[in-house]
Amino acid sequence: MFIVIILVSVASLTSLNNRRNAQDALRTSQAQFAAEAGLERAVARLWHEVLASAASPSVSAYAAELNRIGLTNGTTIASLFGDPQSLGDGSSFVVRVSRQDDTSTDPDAIVLTLISTGTLADGTTRRLRQVFRINRAFFPFDYALLTNNAECIFCHLDVKSMDALRGNPTADPSTWWRRAKVGVLESLIMRDNEEAGVVHGSLVARGTVSQQYSGNIGPSNLYRTTMNPGDARIRSTALVSVTPADCSTPSNCTTPQNLYYNYPDSNNLAAFGNRAPDGELPDSFPLPIADTNNNRLIDDAEWDAEVSSSLAGTSESYSAGSITAAMTINPSGSLTWPGGGSVQTQTSANLGQSPNNVILDGSVTPITLSGTVFINGDVVIRGRVRGNGTILARGNVYVMGDLTYDCGTESTLAACDYSTPGRLPQLNLIAGGNAVVGDYMTIDTWRNDPTRDNVDMLSPSRNQQTMTFCRANPTNQACSQIRSQPWDTQNPVGPSQRPNLALTEIANFNRRELQRYLRDSNYRPRLYTFGENRIYFSTGCSHDPQNYANYSAIRGGASVYFCRGDNPLSTVTLTDAQASSILSRAARYEVTSATFNNAILKNLWADSMNARGTGPLRTDGLLYSANAIFGLSQRKYSKLNGRWDLRGGLVAADTGIFVPGPGGGISGLTIYHDNRLRPRIATGQQAQLNRGIWEVVGQ
């Protein structure tokens, strides 16, 4: 009997404890519901109400409104709503909010940490913590390459996601790659029936894609992709032909495609359910600094306004930052790389508010970036880079060597693991003028046969002279090269009096701008020069380099051809009045630098090349030019072997790049797209709220 009584007592106590524990758990859950209600009320107060009261939906206006209500950076409000807020069931909540902005990102982000305490009438409590992060919702840009106009670049091009650095996709879906995208706003020219590259994803064209020699609309017959229509990821590296989808019939573009024609702009989305078929393509080329007066130049007022807003913390695109590097500011005389010397820290206040031309050398001590640094002039750069930030040069940017990320700490250098991009540094390298990568100076652009002769390609004596000089002296060694181009079947192998890549592309870009002006006399052309004030253009329709006699300066009596590919359709002879109007209206961009002349740049390039081993030229980060990007890696130069690996992205209005590869079907330029890097598109950068997952931090 005694044992029975004990067992009954134990059972009763256990039942009582279970009921008590259940009641405690219920009260704790009710307190948690009250705390969750506090977090939801905080969203309404700190996001919707504050943003509605702000002067604009931008982050800077949102921050100003937070400041007005007393939540400045570094402060805490112990009770966001004052007295405890009662709920209908007798529970209540109190929300504590602290603000500590994150200045490690570019641009900065506003970070709010909330602790919501839910309380029941009997005193039971539950505390939850959640982090709100408010940052810029940049234009949904997802392009490995974005350009108005491109030619040459698709020869031997390979565009893929950074996922490719983890290995090839297999049957396991976790190995499939993100799609890469190439965007073309005006024109892309590929060579007919020649190796025309691979995009592991989609080519998105609002402008024209055509073949150079025939003028036929459409890509080269040898252009390939690895994306099957309808797929959201790359499942295999097997090459397939593209399947064009013409978006002028919206039903053609309802699923992901590998080649889009007539891609809609923001004014023509109604037929697509008011959403772009496969992500937005900018209506026009995005400029890194707003051209408020539409003169296609960065005027003093536009530059000063952007620098000042960054320094004041009100810029929607560029957080104020700093750069620490071995650097030479406003150099003169015989110039060399600073190496490990002259390491200093500078900001936009020092480099951006008055004219400065800068050499940045990360070959010994990595260049360390935080935020945005404006430089009011030209920049020459090479070496290793750490941190997360932006270099924005008002003038030209010259990448004269390898430019790669470093993942070491302090004085220890360490290679990065590119299979985990989220841990990599981030570099946005922006030129308000032009961006140049490699030996654009050389006359020996087209040397593809490494066995033909033994010219010293790193000698300044092989630098291209101006068009005016070479038209008068076509046999000069700085105007003449050994022809070994397989595509030039009309001329025998031997001396060739033709310009290099930079001059050829300049003349082609200028011809296109003249054609646009002649269609619309209100158009303001953007014209390029090379080492002289005179502006030259290609008089015929060929896009390949021609004899110097086939180029003309802009003048009365000069002929401007209208073309389909290399085929002439019609011609217009400029009048004196037209030539005068063009020259007075045009925005001019000089490819060479007054501070870093071509001989200086050749010597800096030679120093970089002589100090490296053999392998593709390497560039990490986003290369972004408001105007043109010129890039060159010759097959003839054995250390590079015609290859360039770009791990980031490339954005330029005009793209003139020649990277032929070593031959044998091996790619030349390989772009591994890092989708963390996005150009700063001035419009549409509204504030966005990202809420972290809440966590329990106490009873």
Side-chain angles (χ1 to χ4, degrees):
M1 179 65 71
F2 179 72
I3 294 174
V4 172
I5 292 172
I6 291 174
L7 292 175
V8 170
S9 299
V10 169
S12 298
L13 288 173
T14 300
S15 176
L16 179 61
N17 287 335
N18 286 341
R19 288 197 300 271
R20 184 174 297 156
N21 289 338
Q23 290 171 350
D24 289 345
L26 177 61
R27 287 196 299 272
T28 300
S29 296
Q30 290 172 333
Q32 180 168 308
F33 293 152
E36 291 180 30
L39 293 177
E40 295 305 315
R41 188 77 60 85
V43 172
R45 177 73 183 97
L46 292 173
W47 176 243
H48 298 292
E49 293 178 17
V50 171
L51 195 63
S53 300
S56 73
S58 67
V59 171
S60 59
Y62 177 86
E65 186 62 17
L66 283 183
N67 294 341
R68 190 189 67 78
I69 66 174
L71 189 55
T72 57
N73 186 27
T75 63
T76 296
I77 296 177
S79 181
L80 179 62
F81 302 103
D83 295 334
Q85 300 295 291
S86 297
L87 299 172
D89 60 358
S91 62
S92 64
F93 62 79
V94 172
V95 177
R96 178 179 183 268
V97 57
S98 300
R99 175 181 170 188
Q100 188 62 59
D101 295 352
D102 182 0
T103 59
S104 68
T105 58
D106 181 28
D108 299 343
I110 296 170
V111 180
L112 305 178
T113 302
L114 286 74
I115 296 180
S116 179
T117 303
T119 305
L120 301 186
D122 65 1
T124 302
T125 62
R126 187 77 152 176
R127 291 201 306 275
L128 304 179
R129 178 170 60 194
Q130 189 172 44
V131 175
F132 292 179
R133 187 179 181 90
I134 298 93
N135 50 22
R136 277 90 173 164
F138 290 115
F139 188 96
F141 180 92
D142 194 25
Y143 292 89
L145 166 63
L146 176 70
T147 186
N148 274 347
N149 305 294
E151 50 190 64
C152 282
I153 187 172
F154 261 78
C155 299
H156 316 283
L157 177 66
D158 192 9
V159 181
K160 59 188 73 173
S161 163
M162 289 276 279
D163 293 346
L165 296 172
R166 298 198 312 255
N168 286 340
T170 67
D172 180 358
S174 67
T175 67
W176 296 350
W177 299 349
R178 287 187 297 271
R179 294 179 295 144
K181 293 168 67 176
V182 172
V184 176
L185 299 177
E186 293 183 11
S187 69
L188 169 63
I189 296 177
M190 298 183 184
R191 290 181 178 160
D192 316 39
N193 303 317
E194 291 187 22
E195 195 280 326
V198 178
V199 174
H200 300 265
S202 54
L203 173 56
V204 184
R206 185 176 298 128
T208 302
V209 178
S210 61
Q211 299 174 33
Q212 177 179 333
Y213 301 128
S214 65
N216 293 335
I217 299 300
S220 163
N221 293 334
L222 297 181
Y223 169 61
R224 297 291 183 264
T225 183
T226 56
M227 175 187 164
N228 293 307
D231 283 353
R233 286 185 172 259
I234 304 302
R235 304 178 180 216
S236 167
T237 57
L239 301 181
V240 298
S241 299
V242 292
T243 306
D246 186 349
C247 294
S248 58
T249 302
S251 60
N252 292 338
C253 300
T254 56
T255 58
Q257 302 293 322
N258 54 33
L259 174 57
Y260 296 91
Y261 288 136
N262 298 309
Y263 202 77
D265 59 22
S266 61
N267 297 315
N268 294 283
L269 295 179
F272 301 88
N274 293 316
R275 296 185 62 183
D278 195 7
E280 295 185 53
L281 181 68
D283 289 353
S284 59
F285 184 80
L287 295 174
I289 291 180
D291 182 16
T292 56
N293 61 6
N294 297 311
N295 69 348
R296 307 191 78 173
L297 296 168
I298 301 175
D299 297 312
D300 289 343
E302 294 164 346
W303 176 261
D304 292 342
E306 202 70 61
V307 176
S308 297
S309 67
S310 176
L311 292 172
T314 59
S315 173
E316 294 307 311
S317 299
Y318 306 109
S319 296
S322 64
I323 183 170
T324 300
M327 67 178 77
T328 306
I329 303 172
N330 293 324
S332 61
S334 179
L335 303 185
T336 60
W337 292 107
S342 303
V343 175
Q344 51 190 296
T345 298
Q346 297 289 347
T347 69
S348 299
N350 303 323
L351 298 177
Q353 295 185 310
S354 59
N356 287 290
N357 299 289
V358 182
I359 299 177
L360 298 171
D361 187 1
S363 62
V364 177
T365 301
I367 299 165
T368 301
L369 273 171
S370 175
T372 299
V373 175
F374 290 83
I375 300 177
N376 191 357
D378 295 337
V379 172
V380 180
I381 188 171
R382 73 168 183 181
R384 296 170 177 253
V385 178
R386 292 177 182 170
N388 179 346
T390 298
I391 299 171
L392 202 166
R394 185 176 181 179
N396 294 341
V397 171
Y398 300 92
V399 182
M400 292 291 109
D402 298 303
L403 185 64
T404 60
Y405 292 147
D406 183 81
C407 291
T409 58
E410 297 182 349
S411 60
T412 302
L413 305 178
C416 296
D417 179 3
Y418 289 83
S419 66
T420 55
R423 299 179 182 177
L424 296 174
Q426 295 183 47
L427 170 64
N428 299 285
L429 188 57
I430 305 177
N434 303 301
V436 177
V437 181
D439 187 9
Y440 82 100
M441 303 80 65
T442 183
I443 183 63
D444 299 306
T445 294
W446 315 111
R447 290 181 183 273
N448 285 338
D449 186 349
T451 65
R452 187 167 298 282
D453 63 339
N454 194 31
V455 169
D456 180 4
M457 300 183 72
L458 297 181
S459 170
S461 67
R462 299 299 297 170
N463 280 352
Q464 170 77 59
Q465 287 294 317
T466 66
M467 185 71 79
T468 297
F469 177 87
C470 288
R471 280 170 54 83
N473 305 278
T475 61
N476 184 279
Q477 69 168 351
C479 301
S480 177
Q481 55 187 300
I482 301 298
R483 191 202 70 78
S484 59
Q485 308 95 308
W487 44 262
D488 189 358
T489 58
Q490 298 179 1
N491 296 280
V493 172
S496 174
Q497 290 87 49
R498 301 183 176 197
N500 71 356
L501 170 79
L503 268 184
T504 299
E505 293 301 311
I506 284 170
N508 290 346
F509 295 152
N510 288 346
R511 174 178 58 194
R512 183 183 295 112
E513 290 292 283
L514 293 178
Q515 293 167 350
R516 292 189 63 171
Y517 171 84
L518 291 171
R519 295 188 185 100
D520 176 8
S521 60
N522 293 317
Y523 178 72
R524 185 185 298 276
R526 171 183 51 221
L527 302 173
Y528 299 101
T529 56
F530 185 95
E532 60 179 326
N533 190 44
R534 300 188 76 180
I535 302 172
Y536 283 89
F537 67 98
S538 304
T539 56
C541 285
S542 176
H543 292 79
D544 291 333
Q546 302 298 298
N547 292 329
Y548 288 106
N550 291 336
Y551 298 92
S552 173
I554 296 176
R555 56 175 177 77
S559 296
V560 179
Y561 281 73
F562 290 83
C563 313
R564 180 180 293 122
D566 283 356
N567 303 301
L569 299 177
S570 62
T571 184
V572 172
T573 301
L574 294 177
T575 66
D576 290 339
Q578 286 174 322
S580 177
S581 174
I582 291 166
L583 294 174
S584 63
R585 289 179 55 81
R588 302 189 186 197
Y589 282 93
E590 173 59 56
V591 177
T592 63
S593 172
T595 300
F596 308 107
N597 64 46
N598 288 349
I600 289 172
L601 289 177
K602 177 58 77 70
N603 286 330
L604 294 176
W605 171 257
D607 286 346
S608 296
M609 293 299 101
N610 288 331
R612 80 189 300 273
T614 299
L617 182 66
R618 273 285 307 282
T619 308
D620 290 349
L622 173 68
L623 291 179
Y624 181 12
S625 171
N627 299 288
I629 285 183
F630 300 95
L632 177 66
S633 177
Q634 307 104 304
R635 184 182 298 170
K636 170 68 177 176
Y637 184 60
S638 59
K639 279 199 171 184
L640 301 181
N641 203 16
R643 301 195 67 191
W644 175 19
D645 283 3
L646 170 59
R647 302 183 181 188
L650 195 155
V651 178
D654 295 318
T655 307
I657 292 176
F658 181 62
V659 186
I666 299 174
S667 62
L669 171 58
T670 301
I671 302 177
Y672 297 94
H673 181 222
D674 183 350
N675 64 358
R676 303 173 305 156
L677 302 169
R678 298 170 182 269
R680 309 308 200 205
I681 298 178
T683 59
Q685 292 186 13
Q686 300 183 358
Q688 67 177 0
L689 170 65
N690 295 298
R691 297 175 63 183
I693 298 173
W694 57 257
E695 57 181 341
V696 177
V697 293
Q699 296 294 101

